[in-house]
Amino acid sequence: DLIQAGAKKIAGVKYPLQATSRGYFSRAVDKELLKSELTQFIRTEKGERVMLPKYGLSLRKFLFMPLDEQLASDIKEEVYRGFARYLPHVLILKFKIFQNEKINYQGLPGLVIKLLVKSKERGNTIDFQLEL
């Protein structure tokens, strides 16, 4: 992340990477940067990053399981533990999980995780939703 002189804005790489006229690396600032950090972290499965094998969350293992209190608790624990380790600057204000009937594979519903998060460093608050 880069800090601009004077404005004290923190900038980083926008995720997901997309081809633009200036190359693949676009810049993200403020809420867009926070959303990029969350997207990259949550969509990365543990073991995918060679030099950081514990980076990310193991959420795929929860797919196709019936959503009950124990499963919701296990997912919440996975998210909170991952954030504490790799995104300590992000505070989870609200956490919700529910089935998504629109995502359907062989009769089994998908999962939706909704977060309301706040950046401790920048003070930005965003709603974030992940569909599995």
Side-chain angles (χ1 to χ4, degrees), residues 43 62-65 67 97-114 129-132:
R43 294 211 177 267
F62 299 115
L63 289 176
F64 309 117
M65 297 175 76
L67 183 59
I97 184 167
F98 55 93
Q99 289 182 333
N100 185 351
E101 300 298 331
K102 293 179 184 176
I103 303 172
N104 201 327
Y105 178 74
Q106 295 184 353
L108 298 168
L111 296 173
V112 175
I113 299 172
K114 285 190 171 188
Q129 178 172 307
L130 172 69
E131 295 180 354
L132 298 172

Side-chain angles (χ1 to χ4, degrees), residues 5-128:
K8 298 282 185 179
K9 286 193 175 186
I10 299 174
V13 176
K14 183 178 177 183
Y15 181 85
L17 301 178
Q18 296 174 338
T20 66
S21 61
R22 300 181 72 195
Y24 282 93
F25 299 100
S26 299
R27 214 173 122 174
V29 183
D30 296 330
K31 289 183 179 184
E32 189 178 20
L33 179 59
L34 182 57
K35 185 176 178 182
S36 291
E37 290 172 336
L38 293 172
T39 302
Q40 181 180 12
F41 180 72
I42 291 172
R43 294 211 177 267
T44 301
E45 191 73 11
K46 283 184 183 177
E48 277 186 44
R49 301 226 5 215
V50 177
M51 299 303 285
L52 291 170
K54 293 184 180 181
Y55 180 85
L57 301 173
S58 294
L59 296 177
R60 290 183 193 145
K61 68 183 177 188
F62 299 115
L63 289 176
F64 309 117
M65 297 175 76
L67 183 59
D68 58 11
E69 287 184 35
Q70 183 60 51
L71 182 69
S73 176
D74 291 346
I75 293 171
K76 185 175 183 177
E77 184 179 329
E78 177 77 16
V79 171
Y80 274 79
R81 188 180 306 131
F83 274 51
R85 182 172 185 159
Y86 288 102
L87 298 173
H89 62 282
V90 177
L91 178 64
I92 299 174
L93 302 174
K94 288 185 184 178
F95 179 94
K96 292 182 183 179
I97 184 167
F98 55 93
Q99 289 182 333
N100 185 351
E101 300 298 331
K102 293 179 184 176
I103 303 172
N104 201 327
Y105 178 74
Q106 295 184 353
L108 298 168
L111 296 173
V112 175
I113 299 172
K114 285 190 171 188
L115 301 170
L116 177 64
V117 298
K118 181 177 182 176
S119 171
K120 294 177 188 175
E121 298 170 342
R122 296 165 250 169
N124 298 328
T125 302
I126 64 167
D127 283 312
F128 186 82

